[in-house]
Amino acid sequence: MVPHRLLKLALALSAASKAFGGPLPKQGDLEDHRGDQAYEPRNANFETGNLEGWQVVQGDAFGNRSVTDSTSYWGGPFHQDQKYFIWGITQAGESAVGELKSSSFRASSVLSFLVGGGYDPDNLYVGLVRDRDNQLLLKQTGTNDEALIRITWDTSKWAGQMVHIVVHDSSTSESWGHINFDDLRVGRRALGNGDGLTFQVIGQANQPPFRNSRACSLYAADPLRPQYHYTPYQGWINDPAGLSQWRGRHHLFSQFHPDSPMWGPMYWSHVVSTDAVHWRELPVALSPAKTSIPGDESGRFTGSAMVHGGELHLVFTDYVDTRAHPGAVQESVAVASSKSGDKFKLSPSNPAIPGPPAGAPVFFRDPKVFHDPTDNSWKMVLGATNGASGQVQLYRGSDPFSWSHIGVMYTGDGSTGAVWECPNFFPVGDKWVLFYGGNGLGLYETGTYNGSVFTSEKRGLVNAGPASYAMQWYKDESGRNLAIDWMGNWPTSKWPTRANGWAGQHSVTRELFLREDGGLGSRPIAELDSLASGPTTKLGPLQVGEQARSIASTNTARVKLSVDLGATSASSFTLALFQSKAESTLLTYEIESRKLTLDTSNAGYGQAGQWDAVLAEPKDNKLTLDIFLDRGILEVFVGDGTVMSATVWPRYRESTGISVIGNKGTLAFGAISVTPLSSSWC
Ligand SMILES: *[C@@H]1O[C@H](CO)[C@@H](O)[C@H](O)[C@H]1NC(C)=O
Ligand SMILES: *[C@@H]1O[C@H](CO)[C@@H](O)[C@H](O)[C@H]1NC(C)=O
């Protein structure tokens, strides 16, 4: 069932844009209009270094100073075409408004261009306008990133008609109030670089309408869309919440903003699964309180699930925007309950906890309920602060609605953030695991606990890659410690999927365990095997030297490798993923230092950078890697329990290569296997 509110929005979106009826025309079937003035506007890529051929039709946001040859900004490269592009702030700053118009050209069946800058569909967009009646046919806004993303439009409906492009900025915002633009291409050139590389087809106008059809086909049509990692069909998600298994069904709720692919007043989306792999959408579980105050960002923040008295209860942070409600308590704990697990009702006795303990700062969030075997009671940890360091507050409950404060369970040393979010706390063997979000990172500590106070013995990162935050743990009905995290993070500006109307994805379900060194380890759950959509290709035993060896060509698969280090003479090896001649994601292991490095410096539209982890001494001299590729994102699980997750989003359709190369010697693989994976929505 589709929540009514969402369906309405999806229909509105599809009515406002033109969906591709079928596959795009092939490159070879299209005319190459390069240099043909009838088919491409003048100075379509600004390589004259100024606005020659373009007309400023209103305002002062655009002028010759808009054309720049800057190559990078605070978040990385701009990815412009050739040298020059339009950077919307360089003429008159962030808040200036205006409109720029191209010369007229004859529409072909397809066109593409690069867009960057602010997300604001009403006020910041590149538009296709028909000359005859000045009708705005299609438009596309930015993604709140300076870097440029290629948008492709099917314009076959208007082929042959005279049209022009407008670059429109009516945003006076001092934050993301500008739009960037470059390289309009018409006809065959719109689809690729002419060197064997084709652009991913991205853009809200290309999205099939939702029409309550199965997410399976909707998601298959979006080249940025992970196929078996949870994503919302539209809008924004962050923290997973309410993770639980009850009466056989796994429940995954998420912090959710349905109205745009941006954070906003928080709802809880809800999906269920019988195997924690294949998900089905249920109606939105929680919605913000009705408000008539403009800009009121009050909503239902992160929380957890508790099975009690034959019902499933959601115990969560009720967040009140104190700018809209002066004097209110910013964060309290509230409860919603369900007899069926499908529809949730707010408890009439809310709030369950009216606010932070007396005298404590207002920051008091993300209640996580657990059953405490030390005194056989329900307990709850909450993220808090003492002003200088993150803290965990501990409560005891007799039922979901009544909690008493025990005290501060643990205070950090200040180095892991001044405030902590999303704490989780549970026993594994004779140790206790605490993990939380601090400094924008997911951190864990392992140690001991006496029923009221935690003592830390070891600390580390929950995930060594860049795309992980707000992990939530739950114990399933078979007693396993499972977890899912948000494969996103606050510091990144890389949300290219906003161009397709959604943002945010969750990890695959993992099982948590204590590593041999006492740290927290992750491994994929066995149920993920059910995603296999075809036979596994097996290679090996195999020797690979300093000549790259191709392993496979796929971007939706599971790749398992086992390297026999005893028989390896190479000093390091590099595995390339999502590889084409233009880009690749590199995973390098240095044998002596045991350092594994993930390098996405030239990999795609996602976060660019390098992240590394020092692995444990491989057992029996065998290093094993278990890698999940899902369209544009990846998760790497190492045999020792290390995990690295990243969002990459290659720019080209051909970036599906997987190859390996040994450096300074040969590399002995015991086995390599590649298993194609299918959608978790089919
Ligand atoms: C940009 O510079 C060119 C060359 O000097 C000039 O002809 C044109 O009028 C200028 N355009 C704008 C919008 O200022
Ligand atoms: C747990 O340890 C703390 C700190 O040492 C102590 O104050 C508290 O009394 C202990 N609680 C129990 C139940 O032993």
Side-chain angles (χ1 to χ4, degrees):
M1 221 187 102
V2 185
H4 175 65
R5 175 189 176 86
L6 295 189
L7 186 58
K8 225 170 58 192
L9 185 69
L11 292 173
L13 280 173
S14 65
S17 61
K18 175 186 175 300
F20 278 151
L24 270 175
K26 287 203 183 63
Q27 263 182 289
D29 299 342
L30 289 168
E31 326 78 353
D32 183 354
H33 299 306
R34 188 200 314 252
D36 181 343
Q37 295 218 340
Y39 282 97
E40 223 161 61
R42 294 173 55 205
N43 196 18
N45 54 11
F46 308 99
E47 291 307 311
T48 59
N50 63 16
L51 287 185
E52 204 184 302
W54 291 75
Q55 193 191 340
V56 173
V57 288
Q58 43 169 287
D60 56 7
F62 301 105
N64 275 332
R65 285 201 309 277
S66 303
V67 181
T68 174
D69 61 356
S70 299
T71 55
S72 61
Y73 69 103
W74 52 269
F78 281 106
H79 292 308
Q80 73 260 47
D81 179 75
Q82 298 178 61
K83 190 166 179 186
Y84 293 102
F85 72 104
I86 298 269
W87 188 5
I89 57 170
T90 50
Q91 176 73 22
E94 192 78 75
S95 58
V97 299
E99 190 172 281
L100 191 61
K101 178 183 171 182
S102 75
S103 63
S104 290
F105 59 97
R106 195 174 295 283
S108 181
S109 349
V110 61
L111 68 74
S112 74
F113 56 86
L114 295 169
V115 67
Y119 175 90
D120 183 345
D122 293 333
N123 297 304
L124 297 169
Y125 57 84
V126 174
L128 178 69
V129 179
R130 178 159 53 197
D131 287 4
R132 170 158 55 80
D133 52 6
N134 224 31
Q135 195 190 331
L136 181 61
L137 305 170
L138 292 171
K139 62 177 185 172
Q140 176 69 50
T141 189
T143 64
N144 273 12
D145 185 17
E146 297 289 5
L148 297 147
I149 288 176
R150 184 162 296 275
I151 301 298
T152 304
W153 283 341
D154 179 352
T155 51
S156 50
K157 202 163 141 187
W158 307 288
Q161 301 182 19
M162 294 308 289
V163 294
H164 60 272
I165 288 289
V166 293
V167 183
H168 177 94
D169 176 356
S170 50
S171 168
T172 55
S173 175
E174 283 290 355
S175 167
W176 292 117
H178 70 280
I179 182 157
N180 308 336
F181 178 75
D182 194 21
D183 196 36
L184 176 70
R185 295 168 175 234
V186 181
R188 185 194 302 179
R189 293 181 62 248
L191 296 179
N193 264 343
D195 55 1
L197 293 177
T198 42
F199 304 126
Q200 302 279 24
V201 174
I202 301 169
Q204 182 78 66
N206 306 326
Q207 297 308 295
F210 187 71
R211 269 202 231 102
N212 203 13
S213 60
R214 296 201 310 174
C216 170
S217 54
L218 172 69
Y219 291 178
D222 175 350
L224 301 181
R225 176 79 72 168
Q227 299 298 293
Y228 58 87
H229 286 77
Y230 172 67
T231 53
Y233 53 80
Q234 68 181 36
W236 161 275
I237 55 163
N238 51 281
D239 311 358
L243 288 184
S244 49
Q245 188 183 15
W246 184 47
R247 297 179 180 161
R249 289 199 304 179
H250 296 259
H251 292 261
L252 163 60
F253 304 84
S254 303
Q255 290 282 279
F256 179 43
H257 183 238
D259 296 345
S260 76
M262 311 293 291
W263 187 88
M266 281 287 122
Y267 296 65
W268 280 37
S269 66
H270 185 194
V271 289
V272 289
S273 173
T274 52
D275 59 5
V277 174
H278 294 85
W279 299 103
R280 291 296 172 263
E281 200 91 38
L282 288 182
V284 163
L286 299 175
S287 303
K290 285 200 172 60
T291 180
S292 55
I293 305 169
D296 184 354
E297 290 189 338
S298 304
R300 316 297 184 185
F301 278 13
T302 301
S304 53
M306 176 176 175
V307 173
H308 185 87
E311 292 188 49
L312 183 64
H313 306 273
L314 306 177
V315 183
F316 60 94
T317 307
D318 214 8
Y319 169 77
V320 176
D321 183 347
T322 52
R323 292 169 310 173
H325 305 269
V329 175
Q330 179 178 294
E331 291 170 6
S332 62
V333 176
V335 180
S337 309
S338 176
K339 286 192 169 64
S340 63
D342 291 354
K343 276 184 90 170
F344 290 82
K345 259 203 188 127
L346 291 169
S347 161
S349 61
N350 281 335
I353 304 177
V362 295
F363 193 96
F364 175 71
R365 62 172 64 160
D366 310 330
K368 179 67 175 113
V369 175
F370 62 102
H371 192 262
D372 186 348
T374 58
D375 59 3
N376 195 29
S377 71
W378 288 106
K379 295 270 174 67
M380 171 199 289
V381 284
L382 282 113
T385 176
N386 64 7
S389 169
Q391 275 192 330
V392 177
Q393 294 281 6
L394 186 67
Y395 285 72
R396 181 185 288 109
S398 47
D399 58 53
F401 316 102
S402 345
W403 298 90
S404 57
H405 186 220
I406 296 176
V408 173
M409 187 186 86
Y410 183 57
T411 303
D413 59 15
S415 68
T416 58
V419 290
W420 288 349
E421 303 186 295
C422 307
N424 282 246
F425 191 58
F426 58 100
V428 184
D430 59 354
K431 297 288 180 192
W432 281 77
V433 176
L434 169 70
F435 64 80
Y436 55 85
N439 279 344
L441 292 169
L443 295 138
Y444 74 77
E445 309 207 20
T446 51
T448 58
Y449 166 71
N450 72 358
S452 58
V453 168
F454 171 70
T455 307
S456 176
E457 293 169 351
K458 188 176 178 67
R459 183 160 78 196
L461 287 173
V462 160
N463 189 309
S468 166
Y469 194 69
M471 183 160 81
Q472 189 166 82
W473 153 84
Y474 70 112
K475 203 189 235 319
D476 75 356
E477 288 176 333
S478 69
R480 293 180 300 177
N481 290 309
L482 304 185
I484 293 177
D485 63 9
W486 177 40
M487 275 188 74
N489 211 334
W490 298 112
T492 182
S493 56
K494 301 296 176 182
W495 303 101
T497 65
R498 280 179 178 149
N500 281 353
W502 61 276
Q505 52 283 315
H506 290 333
S507 70
V508 295
T509 309
R510 56 262 267 115
E511 184 173 359
L512 303 178
F513 61 95
L514 271 196
R515 300 159 45 133
E516 274 175 14
D517 66 0
L520 181 65
S522 299
R523 66 170 84 94
I525 56 167
E527 289 91 329
L528 287 159
D529 287 348
S530 67
L531 287 170
S533 64
T536 296
T537 307
K538 290 196 164 122
L539 300 170
L542 185 69
Q543 298 275 329
V544 176
E546 294 172 32
Q547 185 113 26
R549 160 99 192 210
S550 168
I551 292 175
S553 176
T554 172
N555 62 10
T556 312
R558 182 173 186 177
V559 182
K560 292 189 190 178
L561 305 166
S562 148
V563 185
D564 181 353
L565 297 172
T568 288
S569 65
S571 60
S572 68
F573 69 87
T574 299
L575 182 67
L577 305 161
F578 297 131
Q579 185 181 31
S580 67
K581 59 188 168 189
E583 57 193 3
S584 60
T585 296
L586 304 174
L587 200 57
T588 298
Y589 182 67
E590 289 165 21
I591 289 159
E592 179 131 352
S593 62
R594 302 199 310 267
K595 191 165 83 171
L596 182 69
T597 303
L598 174 68
D599 182 348
T600 59
S601 305
N602 179 31
Y605 289 126
Q607 255 179 299
Q610 283 191 0
W611 295 269
D612 51 52
V614 175
L615 306 183
E617 188 80 59
K619 259 200 195 141
D620 307 324
N621 244 347
K622 277 204 174 55
L623 174 76
T624 60
L625 299 176
D626 189 355
I627 302 170
F628 290 80
L629 303 171
D630 194 0
R631 285 281 174 92
I633 68 176
L634 87 152
E635 295 192 87
V636 179
F637 292 89
V638 187
D640 71 350
T642 301
V643 57
M644 280 183 161
S645 304
T647 50
V648 173
W649 292 301
R651 286 181 282 269
Y652 297 96
R653 248 191 270 185
E654 289 74 17
S655 300
T656 58
I658 302 173
S659 69
V660 66
I661 188 167
N663 306 316
K664 301 203 188 100
T666 58
L667 183 64
F669 283 102
I672 302 177
S673 70
V674 181
T675 307
L677 299 186
S678 59
S679 167
S680 53
W681 299 94
C682 296

